[in-house]
Amino acid sequence: MAKKDKTHVSETPATQLLKAHRVAFTEHPYDYVEHGGTAESAKQLGLDEHAVVKTLVMQDQDAKPLIVLMHGDCTVSTKKLARQIGAKSVEPCKPEVAQRHSGYLVGGTSPFGVRKQMPVYIEQSILDLPRIAINGGRRGFLVQLQPRVCVELLGAQPVQCALAQ
């Protein structure tokens, strides 16, 4: 019996979308750890956690979903975000609600290939990085690409709402 190749990852809606748009990216599987977050993936892959971008599904006061792309080593100031996007308030979605909107399990949420179209906001300073690692649509799977892809492909709007952890 042939050994399973750990470097091969089957397609996800995210990788299908990236390939369909001829986006250059590299695949980086790692051993998923429950509640390990970006610190764990960065450690396993030897990456700077600041360049590992988390995909957060949030909602405004009317329960309209939105996606926030944030540095792995930062949190979102929901007050600043709400002010910048013209909402009264913003809060994280419950995991089951986030999964329903995105089509991905929490911990495996990618901004690419989501089930429901949602506005995407990206922390401005992410766009200054040469490359980012972002979820590829499955727990334990990141893709590396240029951050401008988030603006070009997703229409991500830059915001400034990062808080150091």
Side-chain angles (χ1 to χ4, degrees), residues 46-122:
L47 301 170
D48 175 0
E49 189 182 5
H50 195 67
V52 177
V53 175
K54 51 192 172 187
T55 304
L56 305 167
V57 182
M58 300 191 150
Q59 63 186 20
D60 68 10
Q61 69 281 350
D62 300 321
K64 288 196 177 97
L66 56 109
I67 290 176
V68 181
L69 303 178
M70 182 54 69
H71 295 285
D73 59 355
C74 296
T75 57
V76 174
S77 165
T78 54
K79 283 183 180 172
K80 279 186 181 177
L81 178 63
R83 203 173 313 123
Q84 289 178 55
I85 67 172
K88 286 187 181 122
S89 65
V90 174
E91 64 182 10
C93 287
K94 289 183 169 54
E96 62 277 8
V97 174
Q99 187 174 332
R100 199 168 51 242
H101 291 315
S102 70
Y104 294 113
L105 286 173
V106 171
T109 305
S110 176
F112 304 105
V114 292
R115 178 179 292 156
K116 182 182 202 175
Q117 283 306 110
M118 298 175 261
V120 179
Y121 300 95
I122 186 168

Side-chain angles (χ1 to χ4, degrees), residues 119-137:
V120 179
Y121 300 95
I122 186 168
E123 177 59 34
Q124 174 108 37
S125 53
I126 291 171
L127 298 171
D128 298 333
L129 299 171
R131 281 178 74 76
I132 58 170
I134 195 162
N135 200 288

